[in-house]
């Protein structure tokens, strides 16, 4: 049973990337990660987003895959941790052979740690 | 490994239903979905709930299955996304051969989108 | 497919312990559970914690396993439900043969239910 739990946790955690990894990569000359804001909301509701993120609502993602680059790794986020929208986007990306992760802290945690945000 | 991630995501997401699907169904003459508020709290703490929901605390659910209809599909929700109470209720319902899903946005997301709420 | 969902839910829920179980144990003469606050934040950011918890940030956990007791069962928590930090800690503990669970309500839910907290 512990093996079952451990395997489950490993798979669950393999879906995520943490903010330290993303922040460290952003300092590089040629960053590997591209952040996608997959919230299904207009800018006036969202108000702000993670600095440098590309707005690509989960509901539009399947039709906008041609805008993405197979050589990049995508990091998706939703309002808070534990929601399903990031996982919906992740499934779309992985199924189309893109490299992708969900941001483990979500927007709420990113803001809570006072990491860079930009207004919309 | 990507196959493992994809299978994991598909199973995870198969547990959930989104608010659009539930709202569209509620407009029908004979709605298929019945919303169950499974929060383990008295009305004075809950204060309000999703419009038309039936209060059925997760702790009481196993003893109240006879009140449910095998021809309906149940949609359970807790305060916020990512908690376990909805999944506890879902396991009880699926194990008793009911059709059921967890509401992906939970009460917090439902309110955040200004969807219909009623006072308790 | 329902079997797949049920198995998934059982494994998912087997990772968690609820606050009632933890609170009831704390009343015993020789409590079985030890609560670990695994938030990666300094005391001035955390401000308070669950009463009696031991601060053991997830980032330090792998190097501090010698401080733990194989005869106890560890209960880890993060700020809110649905984050990954508790699962990171849980994976470390289970992989090192400790008995461990994640607190299902997280700190947010614990406070929401007005359960015992202490200032830092």
């Amino acid at each position: 049973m512990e093996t079952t739990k451990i395997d489950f946790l490993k798979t669950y955690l393999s879906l995520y990337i943490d903010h330290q990894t993303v922040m460290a990569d952003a300092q590089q000359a040629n960053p590997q990660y591209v952040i996608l804001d997959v919230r299904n909301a207009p800018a006036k509701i969202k108000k702000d987003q993670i600095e440098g993120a590309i707005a690509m609502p989960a509901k539009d993602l399947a039709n906008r895959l041609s805008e993405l680059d197979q050589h990049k790794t995508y990091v998706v986020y939703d309002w808070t941790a534990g929601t399903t929208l990031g996982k919906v986007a992740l499934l779309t990306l992985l199924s189309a052979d893109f490299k992708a992760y969900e941001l483990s802290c979500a927007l709420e945690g990113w803001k809570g740690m006072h990491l860079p945000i930009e207004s919309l």
Side-chain angles (χ1 to χ4, degrees), chain A residues 45-113:
Chain A
I45 297 291
K46 292 191 288 190
K47 292 191 177 73
D48 51 25
Q49 67 173 18
I50 289 179
E51 192 177 84
I54 297 171
M56 193 164 292
K59 65 182 170 56
D60 304 332
L61 185 58
N63 294 321
R64 293 181 59 183
L65 292 174
S66 63
E67 299 176 34
L68 304 181
D69 179 348
Q70 294 278 2
H71 300 98
K72 293 291 188 183
T73 298
Y74 291 92
V75 177
V76 303
Y77 72 85
D78 190 14
W79 295 96
T80 63
T83 62
T84 56
L85 207 62
K87 289 179 188 62
V88 169
L90 201 51
L91 179 56
T92 302
L93 291 167
L94 294 177
S95 299
D97 276 330
F98 286 97
K99 290 187 289 293
Y101 296 95
E102 184 170 356
L103 181 66
S104 62
C105 59
L107 180 59
E108 181 181 49
W110 185 274
K111 286 184 176 182
M113 291 178 283

Side-chain angles (χ1 to χ4, degrees), chain A residues 21-33:
Chain A
T21 307
V22 173
M23 288 294 289
D25 175 70
Q27 312 301 320
Q28 303 300 311
N30 187 19
Q32 176 190 354
Y33 299 110

Side-chain angles (χ1 to χ4, degrees), chain A residues 9-52:
Chain A
L9 283 166
K10 283 182 177 171
T11 303
Y12 186 90
L13 292 170
S14 74
L15 304 174
Y16 289 94
I17 194 166
D18 61 40
H19 63 282
Q20 292 102 329
T21 307
V22 173
M23 288 294 289
D25 175 70
Q27 312 301 320
Q28 303 300 311
N30 187 19
Q32 176 190 354
Y33 299 110
V34 176
I35 302 178
L36 298 181
D37 183 321
V38 301
R39 290 176 292 166
N40 287 322
K44 68 175 179 182
I45 297 291
K46 292 191 288 190
K47 292 191 177 73
D48 51 25
Q49 67 173 18
I50 289 179
E51 192 177 84

